[in-house]
Amino acid sequence: MANSQPVATLYDAPMWQSLAREHMQLQSCGHCGTLRYPPGPICSACTSMDYHWTDLSGGGQILSWVRFHRAYFDDHPPPYNAVAVRLDEGPIVVSNLIGPEPEGEWIGRRVRLTYRCHLDRTQHAFMLFEQS
Amino acid sequence: MTGSLSGVASVIGIGQSDWVGDHSRVRAGERPHDSYGYGAQAFLSALADSGIARDEIDGLIVGPTTAYERVGELLGLNVRWGGQADAMTAVMEACMAIHAGLASVVALVYGNDQRSAQVNYGGPDAQGGAAFLAYVYHAPWGFTSQGALYAMMARRYMHERGLSEAELGEVAVAQRLAASRNPRALMRKPISIEDYLASPFICEPLHLFDYCLINDGGVALIIAEAGKARSIGRAPVAIKGVGRYDLNRGATSLEPRLLDYYLPAQQAVAAQVFEMASLGPEDMDALQIYDSFSLHIPLALEGYGYCPVGGAGRFMRETGISLAKGLPVNTSGGHLSESYMQGWNHQIEAVRQVRGEAGDHQVEGCRHVHYSSDVAGKAISIIYGA
């Protein structure tokens, strides 16, 4: 095994830099305002190639979640969770829920963006909104 | 329908390597063949089954795990037309090439040494990342493996559509029953719903029995222009309809999985393939559904209209999806229990069922078989018939 590695295209780099500043930003379409995740060269909603990097409100909702019971990476010993979060701005990001876990149903719970140092990088994570 | 591919081509030969024997040898530490060797064995078996001579082949499609030119070189096939494709696309492309007059007899050859070569579908060197960004993009959060992608989809689907864990378990139980009657299947010991529920989670909510096997092997088919196929003598199996619709928007952020459950793609394909074949779901005697994971089965049952949307759990539990009860699905045991040949084993099982040559796992009076796959939201269907 080995450690997990981010995909680092030309368009991902500024997002990872914003995560390192603990101030996550995504591209906002210069024409229609749609946010892009993963970052990329063109808006899939309107095909405009214009964009600017924009702040996030930090709010979101859990769409789904899983718990890994098998080891795939040295830096992620099981068991651990992964959550699919729909950001209030629209995009769906896959991340980890840290801190207290929900009692009962996870799907539909409000969460807020936070940051976690992991290996040599800072990456996004989410916490239950009620715990903030 | 103008330009319909219905009835244009027929399968005249099928073949495979010795999945069961090779699996034992691989587990004992041997490497019986590489992907090319398994493909070669399957090709020879399909050629013998077809009864044609090798030099009648004028088209070649190889699976994604082998290089096109090298397979052609090894098998001594100079051809008019060829390429590389997954199982379902290969069958469609063979029909298209024959319809266009670019080839008249196409060999489809797949070999994969994924078990002995220790191919990984998750982790730092996850297979498929070059084609599907979702397979690698979420790795920093530990979210890896195609199983995890389906686990994420399954959790929300179960919540929204009311599918219970035990209802999903019907898939593994039904397919194991089929495998128990199939001497070519790797996993033949029957299991119960209780066994399923007691089996370990891999990526929760999916259990071990929701996952496909990983084994070595090969599969081949010979597909010929329909008139030529009839003249060969052995009862050809016609390709009566094909259809395809791909969901690409939002794929890496999992939108087709978590928001659509692939439903719009399957409904679009259903309209196309059933119209092309002039048949409906009620005419199908068996289904073959690409089952890297059990979840594919309820998705397809709903997507193709075999049950109402939201009704798959009840359908699987009450109507049934096994050789013993209801609408038989994955009658060989599929990827979960027969062999993980990435959709290729489903094609030859469909042909065996229509020929009436499936032995102890034969569906009585089987005339039409519907094959469906929806890998990563790319929905494809093929209808085989006598």
Side-chain angles (χ1 to χ4, degrees):
Chain A
M1 263 194 298
N3 287 331
S4 64
Q5 292 284 341
V7 172
T9 71
L10 204 56
Y11 309 98
D12 289 293
M15 180 185 76
W16 282 99
Q17 288 158 12
S18 77
L19 287 165
R21 296 191 302 270
E22 299 198 357
H23 195 92
M24 182 178 174
Q25 293 188 313
L26 290 177
Q27 294 158 295
S28 173
C29 176
H31 179 69
C32 74
T34 300
L35 265 59
R36 300 180 197 167
Y37 190 82
I42 183 167
C43 176
S44 60
C46 77
T47 69
S48 169
M49 295 186 73
D50 296 334
Y51 66 88
H52 62 272
W53 290 91
T54 189
D55 294 346
L56 299 169
S57 69
Q61 192 176 30
I62 297 176
L63 275 183
S64 192
W65 66 286
V66 299
R67 195 185 306 280
F68 285 82
H69 293 266
R70 211 201 110 167
Y72 290 97
F73 296 109
D74 288 333
D75 56 323
H76 289 284
Y80 63 95
N81 72 57
V83 289
V85 173
R86 176 141 233 186
L87 302 178
D88 290 346
E89 291 84 356
I92 299 170
V93 301
V94 175
S95 190
N96 304 114
L97 187 76
I98 62 173
E101 293 188 346
E103 291 173 21
E105 188 54 58
W106 290 39
I107 293 171
R109 297 294 292 265
R110 294 284 304 164
V111 290
R112 69 175 174 85
L113 174 65
T114 185
Y115 301 91
R116 178 161 74 158
C117 291
H118 184 87
L119 303 175
D120 59 350
R121 60 186 186 252
T122 303
Q123 57 189 53
H124 57 68
F126 287 84
M127 294 185 76
L128 281 179
F129 192 72
E130 287 82 352
Q131 305 298 328
S132 58
Chain B
M1 182 181 289
T2 320
S4 169
L5 290 173
S6 184
V8 161
S10 300
V11 179
I12 59 167
I14 56 172
Q16 63 170 91
S17 64
D18 177 10
W19 301 328
V20 172
D22 289 334
H23 192 57
S24 298
R25 292 173 65 189
V26 169
R27 294 190 73 179
E30 294 177 51
R31 295 195 68 175
H33 291 285
D34 68 2
S35 297
Y36 294 89
Y38 293 122
Q41 286 184 317
F43 171 73
L44 292 175
S45 148
L47 189 65
D49 182 58
S50 74
I52 63 166
R54 183 177 55 154
D55 61 12
E56 291 183 71
I57 293 168
D58 62 358
L60 171 66
I61 309 179
V62 304
T65 47
T66 51
Y68 166 75
E69 183 189 70
R70 183 63 180 149
V71 174
E73 176 182 10
L74 285 165
L75 302 182
L77 294 174
N78 287 340
V79 292
R80 292 200 285 145
W81 178 85
Q84 185 182 43
D86 61 37
M88 27 283 174
T89 311
V91 173
M92 281 185 79
E93 289 183 355
C95 294
M96 291 159 63
I98 289 167
H99 187 59
L102 298 173
S104 61
V105 181
V106 184
L108 279 57
V109 180
Y110 168 80
N112 195 340
D113 62 0
Q114 57 190 337
R115 176 86 180 214
S116 59
Q118 298 180 318
V119 171
N120 289 312
Y121 292 95
D125 50 358
Q127 184 81 14
F132 299 100
L133 185 56
Y135 290 5
V136 292
Y137 195 78
H138 311 293
W141 297 272
F143 189 70
T144 186
S145 80
Q146 294 166 41
L149 291 165
Y150 282 98
M152 190 71 94
M153 190 175 180
R155 175 87 70 184
R156 184 167 175 82
Y157 175 87
M158 292 165 86
H159 174 76
E160 280 210 314
R161 302 269 176 89
L163 180 79
S164 73
E165 207 177 344
E167 286 170 338
L168 184 59
E170 296 282 351
V171 175
V173 171
Q175 294 190 199
R176 186 58 68 87
L177 174 72
S180 76
R181 301 180 185 178
N182 174 9
R184 299 181 196 88
L186 302 188
M187 297 292 165
R188 303 190 61 196
K189 185 183 166 197
I191 57 170
S192 65
I193 293 290
E194 291 69 33
D195 295 331
Y196 168 82
L197 292 171
S199 70
F201 288 120
I202 305 296
C203 187
E204 188 182 343
L206 296 187
H207 292 264
L208 175 67
F209 288 136
D210 292 308
Y211 279 62
C212 64
L213 309 169
I214 301 284
N215 61 288
D216 284 14
V219 174
L221 297 95
I222 312 285
I223 295 179
E225 185 274 318
K228 193 177 180 85
R230 276 190 296 274
S231 72
I232 287 166
R234 187 157 173 23
V237 171
I239 296 159
K240 302 225 162 196
V242 293
R244 169 172 172 171
Y245 193 90
D246 297 352
L247 300 178
N248 294 323
R249 288 175 75 160
T252 304
S253 58
L254 313 183
E255 288 175 30
R257 296 171 187 265
L258 300 179
L259 304 183
D260 295 330
Y261 308 115
Y262 302 160
L263 187 68
Q266 296 189 328
Q267 289 177 332
V269 173
Q272 182 182 337
V273 75
F274 288 130
E275 185 192 330
M276 191 184 288
S278 300
L279 295 165
E282 65 283 0
D283 298 310
M284 298 300 123
D285 301 302
L287 302 189
Q288 308 298 330
I289 300 171
Y290 190 103
D291 56 329
S292 44
F293 304 95
S294 59
L295 183 70
H296 291 290
I297 280 69
L299 299 180
L301 291 172
E302 295 183 0
Y304 289 97
Y306 291 99
C307 66
V309 172
R314 183 176 173 183
F315 183 88
M316 295 194 294
R317 176 167 42 83
E318 293 185 0
T319 305
I321 53 168
S322 80
L323 288 171
K325 185 176 136 195
L327 177 66
V329 174
N330 288 342
T331 46
S332 67
H335 290 156
L336 302 185
S337 287
E338 184 192 38
S339 181
Y340 180 44
M341 293 285 103
Q342 301 182 317
W344 294 86
N345 51 320
H346 296 74
Q347 312 309 318
I348 62 173
E349 170 65 8
V351 171
R352 282 192 180 114
Q353 287 290 343
V354 174
R355 285 178 174 179
E357 293 179 355
D360 289 343
H361 62 284
Q362 179 66 46
V363 174
E364 204 176 328
C366 184
R367 293 171 60 243
H368 300 113
V369 178
H370 178 191
Y371 169 78
S372 153
S373 69
D374 60 11
V375 178
K378 317 302 180 267
I380 299 183
S381 272
I382 303 162
I383 291 175
Y384 293 94

